[in-house]
Amino acid sequence: MGNMTSSAAASRVGSGALHIACIMDGNGRWAKRRGLPRTAGHTAGEEALATVVREAAQRDVGWLTVFGFSTENWVRPPAEVRHILGLHRKLFGRIEELNANNVRVNWIGRPFDEPGSRTPANVQKAIRQAIEDTKHNTGMVLTVAFDYGSRAEIVRAARHAAEFSPGGIAANLYDATLPPVDVLVRTSGESRISNFMLWQAAHARVYFTDCSWPDFGGRQLDEAIALARTHRA
Ligand code: IPE
Ligand code: IPE
Ligand code: MG
């Protein structure tokens, strides 16, 4: 899992394709403002993600990496966690749409066979299936960070590098083929990184917006892309 072949990237049109990474925040507040339960915000957030994937695939985005669920998020109320897990199954089940957009699914997070992994079997299955069913697509790579925490990723990578494998930390991250992040996006007015892609986003531009994730769309994506383009050498 997560072993992207370089041929897919090589077949991509436009060598300047960007890597955009999104911390999808503000679902709960979006719902609260509408007098809805937090779960309704997560449902709207999953729909926004489907839109953003389609919009990004039509732009010069080669890699879209989204923070779906953090290693810290397991402490949320069980009903909310269950709802979010269900939405990930829905997201990974959008095979027809993903294939129509030539999008290849990828995942980063705590490996399922490692101590501390809490990803339920049905979510593991959905992730594996989506990767399998989209593996021949040659367009944008959609990486979902699920049960992900960047410090844990780096600690593990350092340990692996020392114990079994040369190449240092970069070669031992959950997915060593992910290119550096060009723009790190965080929605909903928070200007924090929250343990996301600390290694990969070391030199990224950051796009903080007050827009809640459920309201994020093509316009905001264009602003994030413009930020990368303006500052690129
Ligand atoms: C982001 O929205 C979704 C996840 C973290 C899973 P939040 O649920 O954090 O929404 P707010 O921050 O409470 O508004
Ligand atoms: C970050 O959002 C995690 C995801 C978007 C999945 P949180 O809402 O969990 O982050 P903090 O706790 O406010 O930093
Ligand atoms: Mg939040």
Side-chain angles (χ1 to χ4, degrees):
M1 209 162 286
N3 53 343
M4 171 176 127
T5 61
S6 55
S7 62
S11 67
R12 185 180 318 290
V13 241
S15 57
L18 296 172
H19 184 181
I20 310 271
C22 299
I23 302 170
M24 308 184 289
D25 201 13
N27 294 348
R29 280 163 282 173
W30 180 94
K32 194 174 178 206
R33 280 199 302 277
R34 284 162 178 76
L36 298 168
R38 292 179 58 84
T39 49
H42 295 308
T43 300
E46 196 275 336
E47 276 156 26
L49 176 56
T51 303
V52 171
V53 168
R54 196 169 55 242
E55 297 278 344
Q58 287 162 10
R59 290 163 171 79
D60 199 14
V61 178
W63 293 265
L64 178 69
T65 302
V66 296
F67 206 176
F69 196 77
S70 76
T71 50
E72 285 90 26
N73 287 150
W74 293 106
V75 301
R76 292 192 179 197
E80 184 179 347
V81 171
R82 268 198 306 280
H83 185 83
I84 294 171
L85 297 189
L87 287 170
H88 277 80
R89 292 203 305 277
K90 182 176 175 196
L91 166 67
F92 289 113
R94 291 178 182 260
I95 304 300
E96 219 172 292
E97 259 172 85
L98 293 161
N99 284 334
N101 288 294
N102 198 20
V103 172
R104 197 156 55 78
V105 173
N106 185 29
W107 160 76
I108 52 173
R110 193 190 289 272
F112 304 144
D113 58 357
E114 282 194 5
S117 168
R118 281 165 285 187
T119 305
N122 59 8
V123 178
Q124 293 184 23
K125 192 170 166 224
I127 291 173
R128 287 199 180 95
Q129 194 68 51
I131 291 170
E132 177 63 24
D133 292 348
T134 63
K135 71 180 179 191
H136 296 300
N137 292 335
T138 56
M140 187 177 82
V141 178
L142 168 67
T143 302
V144 180
F146 180 90
D147 194 20
Y148 176 85
S150 193
R151 283 186 173 175
E153 176 184 33
I154 293 169
V155 167
R156 176 181 174 277
R159 194 172 289 141
H160 275 235
E163 285 177 16
F164 329 105
S165 134
I169 290 173
N172 287 280
L173 295 170
Y174 292 142
D175 182 350
T177 70
L178 283 179
V181 172
D182 293 293
V183 187
L184 179 68
V185 172
R186 184 164 188 156
T187 56
S188 202
E190 302 295 344
S191 41
R192 286 178 286 113
I193 307 298
S194 297
N195 202 20
F196 188 50
M197 307 286 280
L198 299 179
W199 186 276
Q200 299 88 336
H203 300 285
R205 300 279 160 187
V206 286
Y207 175 69
F208 295 127
T209 173
D210 287 339
C211 178
S212 297
W213 179 257
D215 293 328
F216 195 92
R219 196 169 64 77
Q220 289 76 14
L221 191 60
D222 282 335
E223 284 183 16
I225 290 171
L227 192 63
R229 293 293 179 221
T230 315
H231 296 278
R232 265 202 172 184

